[in-house]
Structure formats: structure tokens, C-alpha cells
Amino acid sequence: MSSPDLAPRHGQVVAVRENLLSIESDTALIKNEIAFVHCGGRRLMAEVLRVHGRGADLQVYEDIRGMTAGCAVELTGRPLSATLGPGLLGQVYDGLQNPLPALALDGPFLTGGDYRWPLDPARQWRFIAHAQPGQTVEPGQSVGQVQEGLLVHHIVVPLDWRGRFTVTAIGDCEASVTTPVARLTDARGRECAVTLQQTWPVREPLAQRLLAAGRIERLLPTEPLITGIRCIDTLFPIALGGSACIPGPFGAGKTVLQNLIARHAAVDVVVLVACGERAGEVVETLSTLAELEDPRTGGSLMARTVVVCNTSAMPVAARESSLYLGLTIGEYYRHLGYRVLMLADSTSRWAQALREVSGRMEEIPGDEAYPAYLESTIRAAYARAGLTRHDQRVGSLTLIGTVSPAGGNLDEPVTQATLGVVKCFLGLSAARAYQRAYPAIDPLLSWSRYHGQLADWYGQQLGPDWRNGVEQLASSLKAGEAIAQMVQVVGEEGIALADFVRWQAARLVDQCYLQQDAFDAVDAASPLTRQRLLLKLHCELLSLDYAFEDRDAAQTFFTHLAGRLRNLNYTALTDPGFDQLLTEIRAFAAGATLAPTSARNAAANADKATAALSGATG
């Protein structure tokens, strides 16, 4: 879509190699500019990847069947850009920001060369002015607002403008996204119109120019992203404005985990990017999102979600652009002062698209034929996450990407390049997924580097004992794994009774604290207040000096205790039975510390202690 103030230039196709075209032109060519190739009555969008003299290589974002040498090329001089403004929320876009529901009106199969406006030009918005005539404003500064669902959407001076401007005309009005709502004058006296929408190149970080001009301040993230997943929030926290990756083999539950995080995370906007997943998974995700209730607002979850959808069946060039489109939309809402969560599923498919394009350009390959610049490209993408402040508005963009290594091989290039930049690694285990564990996060494989960065926040919000409790849980899990490895060699009879008890206690933490029921209304998401109570309880259970006569007695006790803890997980904090269950669990555990007990009377003694304590409390 060429800009009206730039005269289009022309060229022609001289060679076709799948989605890569070689063109020649008598005019100067610009790297990354958008071009349109005319083929069989279709006008197909493409991007200039490499310029050599009067020739260039283009990647086409569409199916190029019928493309031949001699096809006309229209060069626009504009980079691939995202259209930003009110109306983004609730939309489902492809990698070129075409609204897929609008394209679907013509049938289930997408037509090449069919492009639609990203924002509805007919929709009217109530604009409320903030700035006054005569006021001086700068790029990125708010001049007014509209209400977008539950969010106040600030209308800012276009981010790609330069210099300072004087407001000459502004006022409250009903406006479409293309209607001028304010008129400004620059230092040379030229008049400029501000509309509700603006554009931004997707491959350029949105805050880059404002950071260079000193108009945006980048902050160190000091608060966690609360996901409601106990394993993440307790053991492997992610900073609000930080980055994380979720690698795992096929069937390990990456998509399910992402969907639950999107639903329950304490954020204002969710940007979900499906950059190359199978069409069946994407359709299921979209169908689920449309039906899900937002636990924060009671409305539809889609009301604060933007979906960018490019399946593995779509051209690789469109898959490659989808990640950058999602990042640009996320950065835009961050600039407006909101907490944004972007989920990319999966970055492996995105990297494979980079590999295919690089191979067609005959670039020197790196490890496993990925381009040599794979690591720097991944690093640049994750670096766009962060916490920023502008005009007293503080916003964050948290980026979580899944990685799908072939065969679960975490040593492959995409996983290793990602691990070099993210500060939280949530490794999913095929063995845990096979055991129906949710989430299938391996607590001994995963790690987070945000503990020290978030320590003050956790100490202030959850008390000074929180960190000690986390370390106690982690220590128990490591000890339990060491004993489990020993059991595999010598069997249960080959270890001491005390080690067997420690092993069972560690399994209790894993099964009853780290694991949750994704289908239960209470246990699917655990707020921090609940996590603090459960963590304290599990630390108490780990600290008890248990006395058992034999392994059978210990096994019987921990089996009954696990059942009680699961019942507690399914009980809401506001339910009167929650406190009663806490009392019963503590009494039940105390009954196993009184004296050595056999397998036959272990549960009976604990039940007596429970009854005695309940009677005393009554």
C-alpha cells in the first residue's frame, strides 16, 4: 500500500526461485521497502531483502503460482508497517495485519492479493481532547483519548515525527480512525494533522527513536508477572517486562500452558502470535479464546487480546513477519502505559522461516543450515521486551516464546540462541507430560535469573520468609531427585528409611504444590495470597520429624496426606471448609511424628490426632 506522498517506482521480475524473486529497476532501490508484484491480475505484496546495484531480491508474502519473468513490480519506498490505533483489541490478523474474519467473508480459502484495512474505517470513536490550542507537544505525547473497551486509549503525536509541534486546533468530537482530531504546526510553520491511527515499521523497535532522543526512560523490572501458575510464580518467576522461553517436545503442553497464562496473568493486554503452528492447533486456540471468560473482567477474554495468526501452511515470508507485527502491537500498548504480555508460539517455526529464506538467497549457512545471524536476530527480538516510562505512564512488554526442538533436543541452535538472551527458562519434560503432570515444567531443568531482581518486591508483598520457603522447596526437590536416582540403581530396599521419607516428602511437594488441575475452577490459577498459605503449609510438612516403623507405613501416610492436600487445592479460600482442611492436615501430619507407626495403624493414629485437635479447637 503505497503512501500518497511518495510516487511509486517501477521494475520487473527477471528470475523466480520459489517465493524469492530477482528484479531490476532503473530507479534506486531501498532495502526492506515494500513492493507489489503484478501477476495474473493479482497485486502481491513483497519485501526487498537485498539490493545489488540496480537489482534486488524480493520475498513475496503470497502464493506465487503463475509468476514468470517480466512481471511488473511496483516499488513503494515504504517499509512493512503496522497500523496502530483504537480497534486493535479483539482482532485476529495475519502476518501482514489483514483481519482474517474480513477475508473469511469471501470463503475459507484466502485469495492472493486481497488486502483489507487493519482498523475499521467506518467505526466512530468519541475523542476527548487533553491538549489545548497553543500547547507545545512532542512525538509520543498524548493529545487526547478514546475509550477502547475497558481501556483508555491515548491518542499520541505520531511516533515517527521529529521535533516539537504547536497545537493549533483540537476539540472533543466523534471521529473515525482516519478523521483529523488535532492540527499541529511544526517549527517551519507547516501544518500536520493527527488522526486516531498511525503506522510504524514492524522491524524497528517502537521506542528506539524516542529513547535516542531522551523522551522515553527504560526501567529495570522489579515486579513479577503473576501468572497463577505456582511452579512459575514460586520457583521460576518472570519479571513484568522481562522475557522467558518454554521449550519442550511435541505433546508436552506448551500451547495449553500459554493459554492458561494468557487467561490468568495479571496484565492489561495479551498479544498472541501463532507464527507457524499447525492449522488445527491454531483453530482450536481461536475457538477456545472466543468462548473463554476473562477472570479479571467477567467479559470475553478476546476483548483484551490481539491474535496474529500465520499457520505452517502459509508462506514462510508471512510467518517470518508475524513475530515483528506482534512485537510492534505490544510495544504500542506498552507506550500507552499498559502491561502487555506477548506469547509467541512457536519461535522455532519462525526461525525455520528465516532458514528457508536464507537458503533461497544462497547465504552461507550456520549450524544446522540456520543463517549465521540467527542468534543476533533472536536476541534483537527478545530485546524489544522491557519496562518503559513516558509522560508519567509506565508500561511493560513481557515476552514469552515457546521453542519446539525436534525430538526434544535442547542443544539445537534455536533453543541455545534463545537461552543466551532470556532470563527465565521453563523446560517442559516429555516424561512429566506422559504422567499427566500439569504444568509439565521440570523443576530440576528449569531456572530463573530474576530471583535477586524481584527479591525486594516479594519481601514487601509476601514477607521475609517467602524466599526461605522457596529455597526449602527447591532443596527438597533436589534431594528427592538424588534419592530417586539411587532407587533406580539399588531399589527401595537399598536405601535408608530416612531417605525414603525424604523422597516421599519431595514427591508430595511436586504432586500437590507444583502441579495444578487446569480444568478446575479453583486450582487452574492460584493467586499469590493462596500460594503464600500453601507454601507455608508445605514448608511446615517438610520440617516435621516423621517417625515410621517401615516403608509401608511411610507410603500409606504420604498417600493419605496427598489426598488431603489435593482436596485443599480444590477448595476456595473463601470456603469455610478451607480453614478446616488446614487444621485437619496439620493434625494428620502431627500424628505421624508422635511415635514409630506401622503400616496398619499409621493412618489410624493420624486420624485420631486430627479428631483430637478438631475437638479441642471446637
Side-chain angles (χ1 to χ4, degrees), residues 144-161:
Q145 69 181 51
V146 300
Q147 191 71 31
E148 184 182 15
L150 297 176
L151 300 183
V152 173
H153 193 118
H154 292 277
I155 306 304
V156 300
V157 178
L159 297 156
D160 58 348
W161 288 8

Side-chain angles (χ1 to χ4, degrees), residues 62-397:
E62 306 278 0
D63 185 354
I64 62 168
R65 272 179 285 187
M67 185 78 65
T68 62
C71 288
V73 178
E74 175 189 342
L75 300 158
T76 67
R78 290 285 191 181
L80 180 65
S81 300
T83 301
L84 308 170
L88 289 169
L89 298 182
Q91 293 284 1
V92 181
Y93 294 114
D94 67 3
L96 303 179
Q97 210 183 0
N98 293 302
L100 289 177
L103 294 179
L105 295 177
D106 297 331
F109 298 101
L110 302 183
T111 303
D114 188 5
Y115 306 113
R116 304 296 177 93
W117 291 107
L119 303 178
D120 185 357
R123 183 174 178 179
Q124 295 291 307
W125 301 86
R126 180 60 181 172
F127 174 76
I128 300 175
H130 290 165
Q132 302 294 328
Q135 180 179 340
T136 300
V137 293
E138 298 177 341
Q141 186 173 338
S142 174
V143 296
Q145 69 181 51
V146 300
Q147 191 71 31
E148 184 182 15
L150 297 176
L151 300 183
V152 173
H153 193 118
H154 292 277
I155 306 304
V156 300
V157 178
L159 297 156
D160 58 348
W161 288 8
R162 299 178 185 275
R164 300 168 67 88
F165 302 84
T166 302
V167 179
T168 56
I170 192 171
D172 299 352
C173 62
E174 296 288 333
S176 69
V177 292
T178 58
T179 303
V181 294
R183 296 193 179 277
L184 314 180
T185 303
D186 65 9
R188 297 182 180 181
R190 295 175 299 183
E191 187 177 78
C192 313
V194 176
T195 63
L196 301 186
Q197 71 176 16
Q198 58 178 294
T199 59
W200 186 265
V202 297
R203 298 184 189 279
E204 179 183 343
L206 186 138
Q208 181 171 291
R209 299 181 191 176
L210 296 180
L211 279 170
R215 295 176 183 148
I216 282 184
E217 182 182 4
R218 195 175 180 99
L219 308 176
L220 177 69
T222 57
E223 295 185 19
L225 170 71
I226 306 303
T227 65
I229 310 299
R230 290 191 291 268
C231 184
I232 298 176
D233 294 342
T234 303
L235 291 181
F236 311 111
I238 305 170
L240 197 65
S243 58
C245 71
I246 307 177
F250 172 76
K254 296 186 295 295
T255 302
V256 173
L257 179 57
Q258 276 201 329
N259 288 349
L260 267 292
I261 292 175
R263 184 179 182 185
H264 296 287
V267 294
D268 304 306
V269 176
V270 177
V271 180
L272 181 60
V273 179
C275 44
E277 287 304 292
R278 285 170 289 275
E281 291 185 7
V282 173
V283 170
E284 182 180 355
T285 298
L286 294 178
S287 302
T288 303
L289 284 175
E291 299 172 355
L292 286 179
E293 177 182 301
D294 187 347
R296 300 184 65 219
T297 65
S300 171
L301 184 61
M302 277 299 295
R304 61 181 178 96
T305 303
V306 184
V307 179
V308 180
C309 174
N310 273 98
T311 67
S312 57
M314 293 182 177
V316 293
R319 278 193 273 151
E320 189 257 347
S321 67
S322 59
L323 183 71
Y324 295 109
L325 174 62
L327 284 169
T328 305
I329 294 174
E331 289 173 323
Y332 175 67
Y333 278 103
R334 175 183 65 185
H335 181 78
L336 301 184
Y338 292 110
R339 295 169 297 178
V340 183
L341 170 63
M342 176 174 159
L343 300 165
D345 189 17
S346 85
T347 56
S348 292
R349 306 288 185 265
W350 169 68
Q352 288 168 9
L354 289 175
R355 179 170 61 182
E356 290 187 43
V357 173
S358 175
R360 293 170 186 174
M361 294 177 65
E362 300 179 353
E363 295 177 333
I364 298 176
D367 192 12
E368 294 189 18
Y370 284 102
Y373 48 80
L374 173 68
E375 183 174 353
S376 62
T377 303
I378 290 177
R379 183 177 296 276
Y382 277 95
R384 293 174 69 166
L387 186 72
T388 61
R389 178 167 56 201
H390 180 259
D391 270 358
Q392 306 305 314
R393 297 193 306 268
V394 177
S396 64
L397 173 59

Side-chain angles (χ1 to χ4, degrees), residues 230 522-523 526-527 529-535 537 564-586:
R230 290 191 291 268
V522 174
D523 200 35
S526 186
T529 52
R530 184 183 184 92
Q531 292 187 44
R532 179 172 57 181
L533 289 174
L534 295 179
L535 178 65
L537 175 62
R564 285 168 164 80
L565 287 170
R566 290 192 183 97
N567 290 337
L568 185 69
N569 289 342
Y570 295 143
T571 306
L573 282 176
T574 55
D575 191 318
F578 185 87
D579 290 335
Q580 182 180 352
L581 277 171
L582 274 178
T583 301
E584 291 179 0
I585 289 171
R586 289 189 171 105

